[in-house]
Amino acid sequence: MIKTATPAVRGVQTPLLGRLFDAIKEDQRLVVVDFGTGSSAILEALQTHRVRLDAMAMAEQLPGWTVLETQEERADALANYFKGFQLESADWVLCWGLLNYLDAPLMGQLAQQLLPHLKPQARIHALIEYSSSTMPATPARYQLSFEEGKAHLSMESSSTTIASPRYTPKRLEGMLTGLKTENTILLSNGMQEYIFSRA
Amino acid sequence: MFNKSGSSDHQSAHDTASERSRAPRSPQGVAMVGASIHMDGRLSGEEDLLVEGKVTGTIELKKNTVTVGSKGHVMADIYGKNVVLEGKVEGNVYGAESVVVRRSAHITGRLVAPAVSLEQGGYFSGTIDMDSETEDLKKSFGQPQAAPKAAPAPKPAEAAETVAPLLKQPNKS
């Protein structure tokens, strides 16, 4: 069921993301895959480092993938999309909100495509709706900022809401084959912040 | 083909200066490919360039600033010291020092430079490589380029673009 709500900009401190930034080494070449739409803010945050950033804007592809009839077609579409980016092995993957909008098969296919592009020590940073029974009808856009040195994500979300899947950590691990939860925190806005790594 | 390299032995400095004085110019005095011009081939030279027309091929102005204006449409790889993108680019963009992307730009391709800035509030999809030691930059410009300080603060943001709506509801766990 879709409910109309006032447009919302929600913001929250994200301690686990802050720890990722704190751990960047001085002369490290950092390869970041952003499943969301890249923003000026993330570029600014990374600008003092040697960085490759691939912004994949996956949310904009979802409508096309979800209407495909068979799992094979969806897997092929996802694989072709990944190929188009010619990804380097990633240190970080930013996955803010996207997993809320994927069903179990698509989440498994995403993990399958992602794993070959991960360095052994790669970290996947994810935000998931957890406490709230509703979420924006379409994936939010996120803006990163640092307030008093602490990482902060603001979400620009659509004006309608739908039921939230409220995936639990255990359920997510079950769907994201090949990945494990390294750390997770319930944030003050009711979202769950995750760091996943290779299982 | 539009080649303004001016490096041939028989060409005098006077000739070069004379040629420059005849080249089309923007109101700011920068060499310009006008809105009605369509160029096909390798475009090179040693002065700053503003593209408001259509260019297909390659643009190589490795010591200068290349600006693709809001009316410009470039279907080419671009090599410049500094590159400013306001129009449409289908190709990879290499900046020895910087690449600046304005909100009006539509880019299909990679952006490679020690510093890449996106106008405040802007969004993008694609690949940005900000590594002064990357092989792409070494091949294009020789030795590693020094990363300049962050680009000046871009203009205030306009309304954000919208994300395409989803056609299917997520599964419940």
Side-chain angles (χ1 to χ4, degrees):
Chain A
M1 181 177 157
I2 296 177
K3 292 179 182 172
T4 302
T6 50
V9 177
R10 294 184 295 162
V12 69
Q13 257 184 39
T14 48
L16 298 183
L17 182 61
R19 284 184 214 169
L20 284 182
F21 272 92
D22 290 344
I24 301 175
K25 290 173 188 158
E26 181 79 15
D27 198 36
Q28 179 184 0
R29 173 175 166 80
L30 190 69
V31 179
V32 180
V33 173
D34 187 348
F35 280 167
T37 308
S39 68
S40 55
I42 186 79
L43 267 186
E44 283 167 25
L46 294 169
Q47 204 159 36
T48 55
H49 304 287
R50 296 170 49 215
V51 168
R52 170 174 165 147
L53 172 64
D54 291 277
M56 296 184 73
M58 303 268 270
E60 292 170 29
Q61 304 302 317
L62 279 180
W65 293 338
T66 50
V67 295
L68 294 173
E69 288 184 3
T70 67
Q71 295 304 332
E72 290 73 20
E73 285 176 319
R74 292 168 79 182
D76 287 346
L78 194 58
N80 286 333
Y81 194 65
F82 266 79
K83 273 183 199 162
F85 281 84
Q86 298 179 323
L87 297 173
E88 274 182 38
S89 296
D91 296 284
W92 296 0
V93 177
L94 306 178
C95 185
W96 300 336
L98 179 75
L99 298 180
N100 292 312
Y101 299 87
L102 306 184
D103 56 22
L106 195 52
M107 215 179 294
Q109 288 159 353
L110 179 68
Q112 192 184 350
Q113 288 301 322
L114 182 61
L115 278 169
H117 299 291
L118 295 180
K119 288 181 181 172
Q121 74 282 10
R123 299 289 181 268
I124 296 109
H125 181 259
L127 286 183
I128 310 284
E129 294 286 351
Y130 189 67
S131 296
S132 174
S133 59
T134 62
M135 64 180 189
T138 55
R141 280 187 167 174
Y142 290 80
Q143 286 284 2
L144 172 66
S145 60
F146 286 87
E147 295 176 7
E148 298 175 349
K150 292 176 180 171
H152 190 275
L153 284 173
S154 302
M155 288 142 264
E156 296 171 22
S157 57
S158 67
S159 58
T160 54
T161 58
I162 56 174
S164 163
R166 302 178 72 183
Y167 292 132
T168 62
K170 198 171 178 180
R171 174 96 170 109
L172 278 173
E173 270 194 12
M175 294 186 289
L176 293 168
T177 312
L179 298 175
K180 66 177 181 189
T181 305
E182 187 175 286
N183 207 341
T184 183
I185 293 176
L186 181 60
L187 301 177
S188 59
N189 68 348
M191 294 186 88
Q192 193 85 19
E193 183 182 22
Y194 285 86
I195 297 285
F196 296 105
S197 57
R198 283 175 172 277
Chain B
M1 186 169 123
F2 181 58
N3 190 326
K4 299 174 69 183
S5 66
S7 58
S8 58
D9 293 335
H10 63 273
Q11 190 173 33
S12 68
H14 175 77
D15 289 340
T16 305
S18 175
E19 183 182 305
R20 281 182 184 174
S21 69
R22 291 195 302 271
R25 307 251 146 205
S26 72
Q28 292 75 33
V30 176
M32 179 179 178
V33 176
S36 67
I37 306 294
H38 180 186
M39 306 180 75
D40 192 353
R42 178 172 171 268
L43 198 160
S44 63
E46 291 184 358
E47 55 188 301
D48 296 345
L49 176 71
L50 168 64
V51 178
E52 289 289 9
K54 195 170 179 180
V55 176
T56 308
T58 308
I59 297 176
E60 286 190 28
L61 296 158
K62 294 182 178 179
K63 295 177 183 173
N64 301 90
T65 297
V66 178
T67 303
V68 178
S70 58
K71 294 172 189 164
H73 183 181
V74 173
M75 288 174 287
D77 287 348
I78 300 173
Y79 300 83
K81 183 178 179 185
N82 299 293
V83 183
V84 180
L85 305 173
E86 299 170 350
K88 191 171 181 181
V89 177
E90 296 169 64
N92 297 325
V93 179
Y94 302 89
E97 287 189 357
S98 71
V99 174
V100 176
V101 183
R102 302 292 183 202
R103 285 185 65 94
S104 56
H106 288 82
I107 319 293
T108 307
R110 295 177 62 210
L111 306 179
V112 184
V116 178
S117 65
L118 182 68
E119 196 163 14
Q120 194 177 0
Y123 292 97
F124 73 97
S125 63
T127 301
I128 289 178
D129 203 328
M130 297 191 292
D131 183 355
S132 57
E133 295 174 33
T134 188
E135 282 303 312
D136 282 337
L137 282 182
K138 286 180 188 171
K139 275 187 216 163
S140 304
F141 301 101
Q143 290 303 304
Q145 308 296 308
K149 298 284 184 188
K155 292 173 186 174
E158 296 166 12
E161 299 162 32
T162 54
V163 176
L166 294 176
L167 300 178
K168 202 168 183 177
Q169 307 292 325
N171 282 3
K172 291 183 181 180
S173 60

